[in-house]
Amino acid sequence: MSTTTTKYQAFIGGGWVDAASGETMEVINPATGETIAEVPRCGAEDVDRAVAAAKKALPDWLDKTPKDRSELLHKLADVIDEHAEELAQLESLNVGKPLLASRDEMPFGADNVRFFAGAARHLEGQSAGEYIAGYTSVIRREPLGIVAGICPWNYPLMMAIWKMGPALAAGNVQILKPSEQTPLSLLRFVQLAQEVLPAGVLQVVTGDGVPVGQRLVEHPDVRLVSLTGDVETGKTIARTAADTLKRVH
């Protein structure tokens, strides 16, 4: 029995776009070996587009109160609850895990988003008055700015939540790069939730791990990259990061 192939796009600047090169990649159902989807094979130019959009979105996101960010994250959690069965079915198809397992992950994922929504309203600093008489010294925690997350294949939506939840709660803007093997549940989640967050606050760039990851690490406006993925990709990105730091210092 043949499987319908669905075409997805990357989510950059609040809109759905093809890779700048026009290239695509096949996404395979590991249980059957059939192609079930096509996604853009993004590269450095697409990362640059995403970073530019994130940079544009950052000032307004920084101005939002913890209450505002918390309420928007609660809405993201509601999206998971409302579409839990669809997301579970898609993740089971793409990852090859039992449907029972992917169903269990959806309420857990929604609960995690709500945890970070609560954390958004409890961003604490430290204060002490002993440094100079008559003055109070305060440590204020500030967002980093543009952060990136590189997600693995085995828990694609859950791992994305663990990266974007704390980043968005703290006032950062987030670029996510899902595994080229299992991008579908994250892309569908963003399709369902695209009206929740302002344009540029959350973006998804699909593509091979090394070229996209390298550009995320090298880009001067990306302040932090969280990597969870295969060993070779990790080694390559680590080498790139080390070389970049040498050039900076």
Side-chain angles (χ1 to χ4, degrees):
M1 181 176 65
S2 62
T3 302
T4 302
T5 300
T6 304
K7 185 174 181 179
Y8 290 82
Q9 293 177 297
F11 190 65
I12 297 176
W16 296 97
V17 298
D18 295 326
S21 66
E23 295 183 33
T24 62
M25 305 185 302
E26 293 183 342
V27 179
I28 306 299
N29 176 347
T32 65
E34 292 182 296
T35 298
I36 55 176
E38 286 186 357
V39 298
R41 188 186 296 274
C42 294
E45 184 176 345
D46 303 293
V47 172
D48 291 346
R49 286 195 291 170
V51 172
K55 194 172 183 179
K56 183 179 179 180
L58 182 59
D60 287 342
W61 188 244
L62 288 174
D63 284 344
K64 289 198 177 296
T65 65
K67 172 181 177 291
D68 291 337
R69 293 198 297 270
S70 177
E71 289 177 349
L72 290 170
L73 286 170
H74 276 295
K75 290 180 180 179
L76 287 179
D78 291 341
V79 170
I80 298 175
D81 281 339
E82 291 164 8
H83 301 275
E85 181 61 22
E86 178 187 357
L87 292 168
Q89 292 271 358
L90 187 58
E91 187 150 310
S92 176
L93 178 70
N94 190 187
V95 180
K97 67 175 65 176
L99 181 56
L100 182 64
S102 59
R103 281 175 174 160
D104 284 346
E105 291 168 20
M106 297 305 134
F108 184 61
D111 183 64
N112 273 254
V113 178
R114 291 193 177 95
F115 172 86
F116 295 122
R121 304 187 73 157
H122 297 278
L123 301 176
E124 298 178 354
Q126 294 178 326
S127 64
E130 72 273 15
Y131 298 115
I132 300 176
Y135 292 87
T136 298
S137 299
V138 177
I139 298 173
R140 177 182 169 91
R141 298 188 184 278
E142 296 281 358
L144 292 171
I146 302 172
V147 300
I150 300 174
C151 304
W153 64 269
N154 51 341
Y155 294 91
L157 185 54
M158 180 64 68
M159 290 290 187
I161 286 169
W162 287 342
K163 294 180 188 301
M164 72 180 179
L168 297 178
N172 301 291
V173 291
Q174 175 82 65
I175 301 171
L176 290 171
K177 188 272 174 197
S179 166
E180 56 268 33
Q181 296 172 311
T182 58
L184 301 188
S185 58
L186 175 58
L187 287 170
R188 181 56 180 151
F189 167 68
V190 175
Q191 283 181 342
L192 295 166
Q194 62 181 309
E195 302 301 327
V196 173
L197 295 174
V201 171
L202 175 63
Q203 306 182 75
V204 181
V205 180
T206 57
D208 294 323
V210 172
V212 174
Q214 280 183 325
R215 184 54 186 156
L216 286 170
V217 169
E218 292 173 341
H219 202 290
D221 291 322
V222 175
R223 301 299 305 276
L224 174 71
V225 177
S226 172
L227 169 69
T228 309
D230 67 87
V231 174
E232 289 307 313
T233 300
K235 287 180 179 178
T236 302
I237 293 175
R239 287 195 298 268
T240 303
D243 291 342
T244 302
L245 286 173
K246 288 178 183 177
R247 292 196 299 272
V248 170
H249 296 292

